[in-house]
């Protein structure tokens, strides 16, 4: 074939390829440009033309062309139909092919193109279905794996603390229950160490909760490292608990507690802060038989509070007797409000007697509790509890009102009736409404202010808070007497008293104890000199002096000799009803 004929053939081939491209455009999505499509079909056109001219006639070319059309994404029924149509109508004409067998070859070629196209389309469909099946299987596997991971995480959350990764309360309780209920272990022993960081709140308040959380993580890591053989759990906040299984004796649990304290006390560097903390631990160690998880944890919690109350940075061991006493104290304190409502409290009075002429100057109100089960309880059985729980405010208010009411009744026919002396607790003194309360009680009972004396502890008067002193000054200006109770047992000094609204000192009975001995006894002489100095300085400040704890006439004589103004104690009268202490009217 000459160059001219070849050029004409190429031109015709180009014309056919463009017609073919135009025919299939739009029949399916083609990921190529028009130029790229025409170039592809130009190449296939040349292969078809070559097959029609070449001997022997190779039908495989048609199958390959059909397959390449599918690979090029000309893969729709419409695309195949237009391809066959354009080949049948234009290929022979545009290429100028002649020959007796051209039409026969064309028909057979078109059949092979359709066959190759169909096979390729079938194979692609099968491949796509397989890919879809595999993708579905992979997606299902991934979903199942994600579900398992999610369930596992739900279980890194249900049984473990998210902050420290330690077991949480749930898992610890499960392990403790299993250890107690496992068959055949009734004779075994078990220990629980309940740990709480000392003053951890200070870290959160001063450095922030982020630093506090990192410190908790550091503590958790150190506990796990130091106590790896034991289960260490975080219960919440700064509370941790350690399970010590199969102990031989209490000492085994103590060793674990000491190792925990040592681990916690190691300095920790957190966000540039070198922090050192301590911890308190409550230890319970006992036989597995006959105990429950709740009993163990309650006992450990109580013991932890004992360690805290003792100053922290230490461990304490559970003591059953002490626990019973604590429970009894708690029950007693819880019963105070109802006892007030039922009128179970009443007042006894002890006289404050003049050492000069033996006259009863005042009566100190002393509260008693007529308990329905325990009998009459003295103040030392419940006053401390009331102060700890804050119930002292309500109880103290009742004592003040009742004492003033009864004292007003003494004045009938008694122009020189004694004053009533009432103890004020620290919480009462710090109440903003103290002045209003006293004024209200005096107005309601009709008791003159000068016949009421309020006894304040020495430590209370040394407080740097100005409000209590200001309140006492207002009351003193009204005429209410103010006395310092148990003087000499704290840190007060007479120079400080110069600026306080105080009218009387009640010297603690410890100073009188030495006066029981003969006057020539060294201790007796020392106590006497101390008392004489106190009396002299108090009188210089225009304060009267009442000495507590006077039990003998000899003590009273010696106190009178050194200038004491009044005495209180069994020598002058034991506490009892007011009628017992009041002098008979003239």
């Amino acid at each position: 074939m000459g160059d001219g004929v070849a050029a004409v053939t190429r031109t015709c081939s180009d014309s056919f390829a463009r017609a073919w491209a135009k025919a299939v455009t739009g029949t399916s999505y083609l990921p190529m440009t028009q130029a790229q499509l025409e170039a592809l079909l130009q190449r296939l056109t040349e292969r078809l033309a070559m097959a029609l001219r070449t001997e022997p006639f190779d039908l495989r070319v048609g199958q390959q062309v059909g397959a390449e059309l599918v690979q090029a994404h000309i893969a729709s029924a419409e695309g195949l139909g237009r391809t066959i149509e354009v080949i049948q109508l234009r290929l022979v004409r545009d290429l100028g092919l002649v020959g007796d067998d051209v039409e026969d070859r064309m028909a057979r070629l078109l059949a092979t193109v359709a066959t190759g196209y169909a096979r390729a389309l079938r194979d692609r469909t099968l491949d796509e279905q397989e890919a879809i099946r595999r993708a579905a299987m992979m997606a299902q596997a991934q979903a199942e794996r994600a579900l398992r991971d999610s369930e596992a995480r739900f279980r890194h959350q249900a049984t473990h603390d998210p902050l420290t990764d330690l077991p949480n309360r749930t898992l610890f309780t499960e392990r403790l229950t299993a250890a107690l209920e496992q068959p055949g272990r009734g004779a075994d022993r078990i220990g629980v160490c309940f740990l709480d960081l000392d003053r951890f709140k200070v870290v959160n308040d001063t450095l922030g909760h982020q630093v506090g959380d990192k410190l908790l993580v550091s503590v958790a890591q150190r506990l796990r490292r130091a106590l790896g053989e034991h289960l260490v759990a975080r219960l919440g906040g700064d509370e941790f608990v350690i399970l010590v299984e199969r102990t031989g004796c209490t000492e085994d649990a103590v060793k674990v507690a000491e190792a925990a304290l040592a681990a916690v006390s190691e300095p920790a560097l957190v966000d540039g802060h070198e922090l050192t903390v301590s911890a308190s631990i409550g230890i319970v160690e006992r036989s597995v038989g006959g105990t429950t998880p709740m009993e163990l944890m309650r006992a450990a919690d109580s013991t932890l509070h004992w360690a805290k109350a003792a100053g922290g940075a230490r461990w304490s061991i559970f003591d059953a007797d002490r626990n019973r006493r604590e429970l009894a104290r708690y029950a007693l304190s819880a019963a105070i409000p109802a006892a007030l409502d039922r009128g179970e409290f009443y007042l006894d009075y002890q006289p404050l007697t003049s050492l000069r002429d033996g006259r009863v100057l005042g009566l100190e109100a002393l509260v008693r509790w007529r308990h329905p089960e325990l009998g009459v309880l003295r103040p030392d059985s419940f006053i401390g509890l009331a102060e700890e729980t804050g119930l002292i405010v309500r109880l103290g208010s009742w004592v003040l009102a009742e004492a003033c009411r009864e004292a007003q009744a003494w004045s009938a026919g008694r122009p020189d009736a004694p004053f009533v002396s009432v103890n004020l607790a620290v919480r009462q003194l710090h109440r903003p409404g103290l002045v209003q309360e006293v004024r209200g009680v005096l107005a309601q009972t009709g008791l003159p202010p000068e016949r009421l004396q309020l006894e304040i502890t020495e430590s209370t008067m040394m407080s740097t808070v100005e409000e209590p002193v200001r309140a006492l000054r207002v009351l003193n200006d009204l005429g209410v007497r103010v006395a310092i109770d148990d003087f000499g047992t704290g840190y007060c000094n007479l120079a400080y008293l110069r600026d306080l609204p105080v009218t009387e000192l009640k010297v603690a009975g410890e100073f009188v104890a030495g006066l029981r001995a003969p006057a020539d006894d060294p201790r007796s002489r020392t106590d006497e000199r101390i008392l004489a100095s106190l009396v002299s300085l108090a009188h210089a400040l225009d304060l009267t002096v009442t000495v507590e704890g006077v039990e003998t006439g000899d003590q009273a004589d010696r106190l009178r000799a050194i200038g004491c103004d009044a005495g209180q104690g069994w020598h002058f009268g034991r506490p009892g009803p007011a009628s017992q202490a009041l002098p008979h009217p003239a």
Side-chain angles (χ1 to χ4, degrees):
M1 184 183 296
D3 291 342
V5 176
V8 172
T9 301
R10 282 195 299 272
T11 301
C12 293
S13 174
D14 291 343
S15 175
F16 176 78
R18 286 193 295 272
W20 190 2
K22 183 177 180 181
V24 299
T25 297
T27 61
S28 56
Y29 169 73
L30 301 177
M32 61 183 75
T33 64
Q34 190 68 19
Q36 289 173 329
L37 175 61
E38 291 180 3
L40 168 66
L41 297 181
Q42 172 68 32
R43 180 170 56 80
L44 297 181
T45 299
E46 291 174 355
R47 292 184 65 185
L48 290 171
M50 184 65 69
L52 289 172
R53 294 191 184 103
T54 303
E55 292 291 347
F57 183 39
D58 189 358
L59 293 176
R60 292 176 300 178
V61 172
Q63 294 178 2
Q64 293 168 354
V65 168
E68 287 199 42
L69 288 173
V70 172
Q71 292 174 2
H73 297 281
I74 305 173
S76 66
E78 186 179 3
L80 174 61
R82 290 188 180 184
T83 292
I84 292 175
E85 181 181 4
V86 75
I87 292 175
Q88 186 176 22
L89 294 177
R90 298 195 55 167
L91 182 61
V92 173
R93 187 193 67 188
D94 288 359
L95 297 180
L97 298 176
V98 295
D100 296 336
D101 60 347
V102 168
E103 291 185 3
D104 179 64
R105 286 194 173 194
M106 175 61 70
R108 295 170 63 190
L109 185 63
L110 286 175
T112 58
V113 168
T115 299
Y117 187 97
R119 287 176 179 173
L121 187 60
R122 179 199 63 192
D123 292 343
R124 194 180 83 163
T125 301
L126 291 175
D127 290 343
E128 289 176 347
Q129 290 175 343
E130 178 64 17
I132 292 172
R133 186 183 69 83
R134 290 181 177 179
M137 291 178 61
M138 183 175 297
Q140 182 179 2
Q142 290 175 342
E144 291 175 349
R145 184 166 57 251
L147 178 61
R148 288 193 301 270
D149 293 343
S150 175
E151 290 175 345
R153 284 193 301 272
F154 177 78
R155 285 193 297 270
H156 180 43
Q157 295 174 359
T159 62
H160 283 73
D161 173 52
L163 177 65
T164 63
D165 198 34
L166 288 177
N168 63 8
R169 184 186 296 272
T170 300
L171 180 55
F172 179 83
T173 303
E174 291 176 358
R175 284 282 300 274
L176 178 58
T177 303
L180 294 177
E181 297 180 354
Q182 185 173 341
R185 292 194 57 183
D188 290 348
R189 300 185 68 82
I190 195 169
V192 170
C193 298
F194 198 161
L195 181 150
D196 183 84
L197 300 183
D198 297 327
R199 304 181 72 241
F200 177 73
K201 185 176 183 296
V202 175
V203 176
N204 279 339
D205 291 345
T206 57
L207 301 179
H209 287 272
Q210 183 176 3
V211 172
D213 286 349
K214 291 182 178 179
L215 177 60
L216 289 175
V217 172
S218 175
V219 168
Q221 292 172 345
R222 282 178 275 162
L223 287 174
R224 182 156 43 193
R225 185 171 60 247
L227 308 171
E229 61 182 305
H230 304 291
L231 176 67
V232 180
R234 181 187 178 213
L235 300 186
D238 59 340
E239 293 182 340
F240 299 84
V241 65
I242 306 156
L243 179 62
V244 189
E245 298 191 58
R246 300 184 185 275
T247 56
C249 59
T250 302
E251 184 61 25
D252 291 342
V254 169
K255 289 178 180 177
V256 172
E258 289 179 340
L261 290 179
V264 170
S265 65
E266 296 175 7
L269 188 62
V270 180
D271 286 355
H273 304 281
E274 184 172 339
L275 304 177
T276 302
V277 294
S278 61
S280 301
I281 297 181
I283 302 173
V284 180
E285 194 277 339
R286 62 177 58 164
S287 174
V288 168
T291 191
T292 67
M294 184 178 295
E295 289 173 352
L296 271 177
M297 292 305 295
R298 186 167 54 236
D301 186 38
S302 297
T303 314
L304 170 64
H305 288 294
W306 299 347
K308 288 280 190 183
R314 69 190 67 209
W315 50 261
S316 291
I317 299 177
F318 179 75
D319 180 280
D321 291 335
R322 179 177 179 180
N323 186 60
R324 279 191 290 270
R325 293 193 299 270
E326 294 281 347
L327 291 176
R329 281 170 52 84
Y330 174 78
L332 201 62
S333 65
I336 291 177
L340 279 167
D341 294 337
R342 291 193 295 263
E344 294 176 5
F345 290 95
Y346 68 96
L347 298 180
D348 273 344
Y349 296 89
Q350 188 172 29
L352 287 72
T353 305
S354 170
L355 289 173
R356 295 188 181 91
D357 55 17
R359 183 167 53 93
V360 176
L361 303 175
L363 296 178
E364 181 179 356
L366 302 171
V367 64
R368 303 287 190 257
W369 184 356
R370 191 178 289 105
H371 196 281
E373 298 175 1
L374 303 177
V376 175
L377 300 179
R378 295 169 55 84
D380 54 5
S381 301
F382 57 86
I383 288 296
L385 294 175
E387 290 177 338
E388 292 173 12
T389 59
L391 293 171
I392 191 65
V393 173
R394 184 181 173 193
L395 179 59
S397 294
W398 178 86
V399 171
L400 176 65
E402 183 67 7
C404 289
R405 185 187 67 80
E406 294 188 357
Q408 173 57 22
W410 307 337
S411 61
R414 299 176 186 272
D416 58 345
F419 60 82
V420 64
S421 191
V422 178
N423 291 277
L424 278 189
V426 175
R427 289 179 183 263
Q428 288 179 276
L429 187 59
H430 283 258
R431 286 186 68 198
L434 175 63
V435 173
Q436 291 81 355
E437 179 182 7
V438 174
R439 277 177 168 163
V441 168
L442 293 176
Q444 184 177 9
T445 61
L447 183 70
E450 61 273 12
R451 291 191 50 213
L452 172 63
Q453 176 169 280
L454 300 177
E455 296 191 16
I456 314 297
T457 61
E458 183 177 342
S459 58
T460 302
M461 294 302 293
M462 288 297 293
S463 170
T464 57
V465 181
E466 285 294 327
E467 187 57 34
V469 176
R470 188 178 300 113
L472 289 176
R473 190 168 284 119
V474 172
L475 292 174
N476 188 248
D477 290 342
L478 290 176
V480 176
R481 302 164 57 92
V482 178
I484 300 291
D485 192 20
D486 287 330
F487 185 81
T489 59
Y491 302 96
C492 198
N493 61 77
L494 292 172
Y496 185 69
L497 291 176
R498 177 181 53 194
D499 301 320
L500 295 177
V502 177
T503 55
E504 179 174 323
L505 294 185
K506 295 187 69 178
V507 179
E510 286 89 333
F511 291 98
V512 185
L515 300 187
R516 294 179 183 175
D520 57 353
D521 181 89
R523 180 187 173 187
S524 178
R525 290 199 305 272
T526 299
D527 285 352
E528 188 171 323
R529 284 196 295 268
I530 292 174
L531 281 170
S533 298
L534 286 177
V535 170
S536 177
L537 291 172
H539 285 170
L541 294 172
D542 200 23
L543 303 175
T544 59
V545 178
T546 298
V547 181
E548 301 174 316
V550 182
E551 298 182 357
T552 68
D554 185 56
Q555 287 176 319
D557 292 338
R558 295 175 66 178
L559 291 170
R560 185 182 301 109
I562 62 176
C564 293
D565 301 293
Q568 182 179 5
W570 288 2
H571 174 67
F572 300 106
R574 295 173 180 262
S579 58
Q580 176 181 306
L582 287 171
H584 295 290

